[in-house]
Amino acid sequence: MEILYSPFHFFIFITLLSTAAELSRSADMITLFQPVRDNETLVSAGAKFELGFFSAGNSSNRYVGIWFYNIPVKTVVWVANRDDPINGSSGVLRIGRGGNLVIVDGTGRAVWSTDTANVTSGTVAAQLLDSGNLVLTDESNNGSRNILWQSFDHPFDTLLAGMKLGWDLRIGLNRYLTSWRDSDDPSTGDITYKVELQGLPQKFLRRNASVIERSGPWDGIQFSGLPLSPNAIINPEFVTIAQEVYYSYQVINDSTITRAVLNHSGTLQRWLWNNNTQWTVIHELPNDSCDEYAKCGPNAVCRIGDAPICSCLTGYTPKSPQEWAMFVWSSGCVKKKPLNCPKEEGFVKLKGVKVPDMLSYWVNTSMSLDECRTKCLKNCTCTAYTNADIVGKGSGCLLWYGDLLDIRKLIQSSRSQNVFIRVMASDLGKTSEVQAGSGDNFELPTLDLEDITRATNSFSSLNKIGEGGSGSVYKGLTSDGIQIAVKRLSQNSRQGFDEFKNEVLLITRLQHRNLVKLLGCCINGEEKVLVYEYMPNGSLNSLIFGNREGNSLVWRQRFNIIVGVARGLLYLHRNSRLSIIHRDLKASNVLLDGEMNPKISDFGMARACRGDQLLEKTERVVGTYGYMSPEYAIDGIFSIKSDVFSFGILVLEIISGRRNREFHQHDHNFNLLGHAWKLWLQGKATELIDKQMEDSFPMSEVTRCIQIGLLCVQQSPEQRPTISSVLLMLESESTTLPQPKQPGFYTERFND
Ligand SMILES: *[C@@H]1O[C@H](CO)[C@@H](O)[C@H](O)[C@H]1NC(C)=O
Ligand SMILES: *[C@@H]1O[C@H](CO)[C@@H](O)[C@H](O)[C@H]1NC(C)=O
Ligand SMILES: *[C@@H]1O[C@H](CO)[C@@H](O)[C@H](O)[C@H]1NC(C)=O
Ligand SMILES: *[C@@H]1O[C@H](CO)[C@@H](O)[C@H](O)[C@H]1NC(C)=O
Ligand SMILES: *[C@@H]1O[C@H](CO)[C@@H](O)[C@H](O)[C@H]1NC(C)=O
Ligand SMILES: *[C@@H]1O[C@H](CO)[C@@H](O)[C@H](O)[C@H]1NC(C)=O
Ligand SMILES: *[C@@H]1O[C@H](CO)[C@@H](O)[C@H](O)[C@H]1NC(C)=O
Ligand SMILES: *[C@@H]1O[C@H](CO)[C@@H](O)[C@H](O)[C@H]1NC(C)=O
Ligand SMILES: *[C@@H]1O[C@H](CO)[C@@H](O)[C@H](O)[C@H]1NC(C)=O
Ligand SMILES: *[C@@H]1O[C@H](CO)[C@@H](O)[C@H](O)[C@H]1NC(C)=O
Ligand SMILES: *[C@@H]1O[C@H](CO)[C@@H](O)[C@H](O)[C@H]1NC(C)=O
Ligand SMILES: *[C@@H]1O[C@H](CO)[C@@H](O)[C@H](O)[C@H]1NC(C)=O
């Protein structure tokens, strides 16, 4: 404590402070007999910090403060009597009654006191440490020291290395920063920076009560909104134990001089003393517009680099489209349609985001993510969930009720939280993972190859459920428990890639319960992958053909499949702006969901035409023999009527349980089509019916369907009904059906 009398320290003292008006005393301690007067200062033992009286601006007000000792720019880091200055130089800081530190003015009136100590015996002293902490201790007669009070427990506007921002829960102490009122006035300002404990701990930067910036909750590794970036200067830490919850940091190199300061303008700044010359700001919060609290309003995501930066969550739409168009986002987004709760819904994953604020939430730190999902699904007001803790495989459950506020896409997010947002089934598979510069043409979500690989066990052969010309199809299970079908296109297949693009562009715009839903796609180098909703009952192909003794579809199921496929086709042909011709309708492209509802799949060959252009000619005839209309197979002309032809074949196949192409009958050379036509002319159409079908069914309905099938496969496209008249015929028994004319392609056999 006598250290400043050494020649070395005296030298430092003289060279650094020779111009300063203050005269320093020679110790780092205040004792009962050694107060600090206005013309005196304390200097810490290692000459790092100094304590004394100072003025701010032009005012004659005097404050007791602590500042860096060894730098030429006076930088105050702590003030005792910020709201109770001394007028003039009469102030003294000393040990007062009961052992408290007090500041008294010329009249002996105490303007400020630590107000905590109550010591009746022993020796009380205050010491300024090299950390910048002023510590009041009570040394008892037996030599043990007891901390009565310390300045680090009562922060000002600056967080120094080793200080704690946050809670000592044992005594209910909350340490937080408060800004100066303005640059000349150290009195209590409007800006605060606090650790708050609602739900999971978060740091809040506020102006009075309103939030300027929010760190996001601690996820076990970092604050969700402030990913730890490799930092050459400080080591931050966050401690959450039963007794304490606090943020703190240490400098990596002891010779680094740095401080985090709450600026009265409303920012938190990290300053670095640079190369012995000046302070520079190396980081600031808010750092960008997306850091501003609730920038995009409820139920929206903020993304730097997007134009505009705000976009609604999947399933939500701007509350005020007019404001939204004017870049006023504060009213945020609302649900497009109410959820069909508890049926028909699921979750989409939002990756690498600052998780929503905990306005209305529920948390359990031991639940698994699956339990969390189940818990959220059970309550219709639950809107999202996530892991509370991402350490290891993740644990805990944090879920939200109602609006989701203040979500931002992180810029750097190597390890970050995924939030699962509740959506309607029809929105499943859309994610909010939109790429920068996205517009309307990015409706289809791009998925991570890594996720898909994981979901399919690395495209394991055990997961393979189908194989086609353009690639293989695998069954997969996503991390959020959704079954998917993954079509992996053959590599290096030029035709495959065209079909891939085609399918993506077309089907993205299509949504109908009788069309298979494309959930997303992924292009990664040579790897091209399409992800569909999974159809547990596989393709119609495997259900109607072959010997399925005791396992055959009943008539009601067959009829529903016929009607469903017709509805799907109608949607394609009568799509609002464009007519879409599938060009490859066949039994293997009709898939069945868990309730045997049919869904048309495989749009790789589909073509869109405007309504006035329903006939097209193509050089390259694609499709499947056996289902192709004559005008298409021979002349390359296709239209919606070529799909009707394929539909007719499909109807006859569904009724007979036999394939058109591989049809063999001992008494003739006809294909299934020719066979049906022959039986029809002989008035024996019912002989076509699948022998494996159960024995009771309405014969008139089946016969009607045979007649409809034959109408669809008539030779001339003009004679074939449109798919809307087909539906009418199927659904209304009272419609009289015309007599079918000769079908196309009833004798020919194709070899391909
Ligand atoms: C500070 O001022 C007081 C009078 O107000 C004087 O007694 C004391 O010696 C001064 N201290 C120093 C270090 O100059
Ligand atoms: C402080 O005083 C200087 C010179 O007297 C003057 O230029 C400046 O405006 C004053 N600042 C304030 C905040 O009053
Ligand atoms: C401070 O003291 C001076 C004279 O000692 C007086 O003129 C001035 O009004 C005082 N200011 C305050 C704020 O008390
Ligand atoms: C200090 O201790 C005395 C005697 O033990 C007691 O009367 C007084 O209330 C205490 N004051 C405070 C502020 O705790
Ligand atoms: C010293 O005395 C204090 C009470 O004044 C007591 O609490 C503490 O346990 C004692 N310490 C030792 C090492 O005896
Ligand atoms: C913050 O609160 C203070 C005191 O109530 C008030 O004077 C000030 O205007 C408020 N600031 C803002 C920005 O509302
Ligand atoms: C700490 O910084 C000083 C000054 O920049 C440098 O000389 C020293 O090598 C650094 N120490 C370490 C351990 O990096
Ligand atoms: C507040 O921030 C501004 C802008 O960075 C800076 O110029 C000013 O020095 C800061 N004030 C304090 C007290 O750090
Ligand atoms: C540090 O200061 C020295 C001398 O003023 C200068 O030569 C050097 O370039 C500075 N380094 C940095 C990183 O600013
Ligand atoms: C601050 O924002 C800039 C520009 O958006 C970005 O490059 C940088 O990574 C951000 N820094 C942090 C710590 O988030
Ligand atoms: C949290 O979840 C676990 C596992 O489901 C359960 O055992 C525990 O009771 C839950 N705790 C609370 C407070 O709900
Ligand atoms: C759903 O959660 C809300 C908010 O916690 C609660 O008020 C409501 O009772 C819950 N409903 C059910 C059915 O659990």
Side-chain angles (χ1 to χ4, degrees):
M1 124 184 29
E2 302 299 319
I3 202 155
L4 278 186
Y5 282 124
S6 78
F8 174 69
H9 282 95
F10 192 69
F11 171 74
I12 292 178
F13 165 63
I14 293 299
T15 49
L16 288 179
L17 271 188
S18 52
T19 58
E22 295 99 325
L23 289 175
S24 179
R25 56 192 267 121
S26 56
D28 61 351
M29 295 195 71
I30 304 167
T31 64
L32 210 48
F33 311 105
Q34 276 188 309
V36 178
R37 290 175 214 287
D38 190 277
N39 57 0
E40 298 165 336
T41 63
L42 295 186
V43 174
S44 68
K48 298 221 160 155
F49 287 94
E50 182 170 31
L51 176 147
F53 286 82
F54 74 97
S55 296
N58 292 343
S59 151
S60 64
N61 283 342
R62 300 292 284 170
Y63 301 88
V64 170
I66 297 172
W67 51 87
F68 288 96
Y69 177 73
N70 49 3
I71 63 172
V73 180
K74 186 156 179 178
T75 309
V76 174
V77 299
W78 185 78
V79 175
N81 55 328
R82 66 189 306 173
D83 294 314
D84 305 286
I86 301 271
N87 186 8
S89 56
S90 63
V92 181
L93 172 66
R94 59 185 192 77
I95 305 288
R97 199 177 304 153
N100 283 300
L101 263 181
V102 291
I103 300 170
V104 294
D105 66 10
T107 69
R109 183 179 65 98
V111 300
W112 177 88
S113 165
T114 53
D115 255 349
T116 50
N118 194 5
V119 177
T120 49
S121 67
T123 316
V124 176
Q127 185 175 23
L128 179 62
L129 306 181
D130 276 332
S131 59
N133 196 5
L134 177 65
V135 183
L136 184 67
T137 55
D138 166 24
E139 191 171 342
S140 26
N141 299 332
N142 63 14
S144 79
R145 270 182 153 203
N146 173 31
I147 294 180
L148 301 171
W149 176 94
Q150 53 185 323
S151 63
F152 272 17
D153 279 346
H154 304 273
F156 182 57
D157 68 340
T158 302
L159 196 70
L160 295 170
M163 282 178 81
K164 295 173 178 178
L165 183 83
W167 295 80
D168 184 335
L169 299 167
R170 292 163 296 197
I171 54 173
L173 172 70
N174 184 16
R175 311 172 191 92
Y176 61 92
L177 306 181
T178 312
S179 71
W180 289 37
R181 177 140 300 281
D182 63 47
S183 52
D184 287 331
D185 180 359
S187 67
T188 302
D190 296 343
I191 315 296
T192 56
Y193 194 57
K194 292 185 185 180
V195 171
E196 299 183 16
L197 301 178
Q198 275 70 45
L200 300 172
Q202 308 189 71
K203 291 188 288 185
F204 279 95
L205 179 59
R206 293 179 187 265
R207 172 175 277 113
N208 287 346
S210 52
V211 180
I212 298 172
E213 193 270 347
R214 176 184 71 100
S215 69
W218 182 254
D219 64 16
I221 293 179
Q222 63 207 358
F223 289 99
S224 145
L226 303 171
L228 293 181
S229 45
N231 185 325
I233 295 164
I234 59 162
N235 265 334
E237 65 167 344
F238 190 73
V239 173
T240 44
I241 52 177
Q243 301 82 21
E244 292 192 274
V245 179
Y246 64 84
Y247 166 83
S248 182
Y249 68 90
Q250 304 295 337
V251 287
I252 290 169
N253 184 333
D254 272 346
S255 61
T256 306
I257 297 177
T258 179
R259 63 198 164 105
V261 181
L262 198 51
N263 195 298
H264 60 87
S265 66
T267 61
L268 181 76
Q269 299 166 326
R270 155 109 15 230
W271 294 84
L272 179 68
W273 180 250
N274 212 346
N275 200 13
N276 256 347
T277 51
Q278 60 180 7
W279 286 109
T280 31
V281 176
I282 56 170
H283 182 52
E284 201 165 3
L285 266 183
N287 179 46
D288 59 31
S289 322
C290 285
D291 277 342
E292 292 169 30
Y293 184 73
K295 178 77 179 175
C296 297
N299 310 312
V301 192
C302 191
R303 286 186 188 85
I304 291 297
D306 269 15
I309 57 173
C310 293
S311 49
C312 291
L313 292 172
T314 306
Y316 292 80
T317 185
K319 185 170 184 193
S320 164
Q322 291 82 4
E323 284 180 20
W324 201 264
M326 306 292 293
F327 301 142
V328 176
W329 294 293
S330 50
S331 59
C333 306
V334 290
K335 272 238 152 9
K336 274 186 193 149
K337 285 181 256 167
L339 286 173
N340 184 4
C341 189
K343 284 196 316 189
E344 276 238 66
E345 55 191 331
F347 296 90
V348 294
K349 180 157 77 174
L350 203 53
K351 283 172 91 172
V353 291
K354 166 154 83 178
V355 310
D357 197 4
M358 285 170 286
L359 302 178
S360 178
Y361 65 93
W362 183 88
V363 65
N364 175 321
T365 50
S366 56
M367 254 181 177
S368 73
L369 197 59
D370 278 348
E371 290 173 311
C372 194
R373 176 193 161 85
T374 309
K375 163 111 185 156
C376 187
L377 269 181
K378 275 188 191 149
N379 187 326
C380 291
T381 60
C382 174
T383 44
Y385 71 93
T386 187
N387 265 150
D389 191 317
I390 64 168
V391 175
K393 285 182 165 173
S395 62
C397 173
L398 172 58
L399 51 82
W400 288 266
Y401 303 108
D403 282 343
L404 301 169
L405 202 61
D406 195 36
I407 308 172
R408 73 159 294 167
K409 178 86 178 145
L410 301 176
I411 293 171
Q412 56 222 3
S413 55
S414 50
R415 298 200 58 176
S416 59
Q417 261 162 311
N418 300 322
V419 178
F420 298 89
I421 311 279
R422 187 183 206 134
V423 295
M424 284 188 290
S426 59
D427 284 326
L428 270 181
K430 296 182 187 167
T431 87
S432 299
E433 283 298 294
V434 184
Q435 291 165 355
S438 62
D440 273 356
N441 42 350
F442 271 92
E443 285 160 337
L444 187 72
T446 34
L447 308 172
D448 268 4
L449 185 59
E450 208 181 295
D451 292 347
I452 295 170
T453 308
R454 203 175 310 118
T456 55
N457 268 327
S458 307
F459 298 104
S460 150
S461 56
L462 294 176
N463 287 43
K464 196 184 255 189
I465 50 175
E467 177 92 62
S470 54
S472 309
V473 182
Y474 300 82
K475 181 179 174 178
L477 187 67
T478 67
S479 56
D480 27 325
I482 297 169
Q483 289 187 319
I484 51 174
V486 177
K487 181 157 139 191
R488 185 191 205 184
L489 277 88
S490 318
Q491 300 193 355
N492 309 318
S493 146
R494 177 65 206 160
Q495 180 186 342
F497 187 53
D498 287 343
E499 287 173 9
F500 175 84
K501 280 197 309 190
N502 188 52
E503 175 141 21
V504 167
L505 290 176
L506 267 185
I507 200 175
T508 304
R509 307 200 183 101
L510 305 178
Q511 277 203 17
H512 188 269
R513 63 190 303 260
N514 294 113
L515 303 185
V516 167
K517 193 178 302 154
L518 183 61
L519 302 178
C521 71
C522 164
I523 307 179
N524 191 328
E526 286 299 310
E527 198 71 74
K528 296 168 203 79
V529 170
L530 292 169
V531 176
Y532 303 88
E533 58 178 329
Y534 176 70
M535 295 285 118
N537 279 314
S539 83
L540 184 58
N541 207 36
S542 56
L543 285 171
I544 54 169
F545 300 136
N547 192 349
R548 321 201 112 248
E549 201 82 52
N551 200 10
S552 176
L553 296 178
V554 300
W555 172 247
R556 199 39 51 202
Q557 289 173 321
R558 296 185 200 224
F559 184 73
N560 286 343
I561 291 169
I562 291 171
V563 172
V565 172
R567 287 199 181 125
L569 262 194
L570 177 65
Y571 174 80
L572 290 178
H573 290 179
R574 285 271 204 88
N575 198 263
S576 53
R577 284 162 298 166
L578 296 168
S579 268
I580 289 159
I581 304 171
H582 186 282
R583 298 209 300 168
D584 199 17
L585 185 66
K586 56 181 173 183
S588 58
N589 281 343
V590 173
L591 306 181
L592 295 141
D593 72 7
E595 278 138 26
M596 293 303 251
N597 296 308
K599 301 195 185 220
I600 302 174
S601 76
D602 206 334
F603 289 73
M605 294 171 194
R607 285 287 176 277
C609 345
R610 281 197 299 278
D612 54 1
Q613 188 194 351
L614 291 186
L615 275 179
E616 290 261 334
K617 199 166 157 70
T618 178
E619 296 301 313
R620 188 161 68 93
V621 173
V622 293
T624 306
Y625 290 117
Y627 291 91
M628 261 188 232
S629 64
E631 75 277 10
Y632 181 47
I634 294 165
D635 299 323
I637 293 174
F638 66 89
S639 69
I640 52 173
K641 296 294 183 69
S642 10
D643 276 355
V644 171
F645 185 92
S646 311
F647 175 78
I649 303 281
L650 192 62
V651 169
L652 297 174
E653 288 183 335
I654 291 173
I655 295 170
S656 66
R658 305 182 66 179
R659 287 181 216 273
N660 186 33
R661 272 198 71 216
E662 290 151 21
F663 186 85
H664 297 289
Q665 192 77 5
H666 55 87
D667 59 340
H668 60 69
N669 265 337
F670 297 157
N671 56 15
L672 172 67
L673 195 41
H675 179 60
W677 174 241
K678 182 166 160 275
L679 292 175
W680 179 262
L681 291 179
Q682 294 169 352
K684 300 193 289 190
T686 54
E687 282 183 21
L688 195 66
I689 298 170
D690 191 348
K691 300 282 178 295
Q692 291 187 36
M693 208 155 77
E694 91 277 35
D695 26 66
S696 79
F697 46 80
M699 189 59 82
S700 64
E701 197 172 67
V702 183
T703 320
R704 217 176 142 77
C705 284
I706 296 173
Q707 188 171 354
I708 293 170
L710 286 170
L711 285 168
C712 291
V713 297
Q714 295 173 100
Q715 172 84 38
S716 143
E718 295 80 44
Q719 288 167 348
R720 293 173 214 148
T722 61
I723 200 70
S724 61
S725 1
V726 167
L727 254 180
L728 206 63
M729 297 177 202
L730 285 170
E731 287 175 335
S732 142
E733 289 260 4
S734 55
T735 323
T736 352
L737 305 184
Q739 279 305 310
K741 302 200 169 58
Q742 179 178 318
F745 277 163
Y746 62 93
T747 54
E748 292 93 339
R749 285 266 163 78
F750 280 85
N751 297 307
D752 59 338

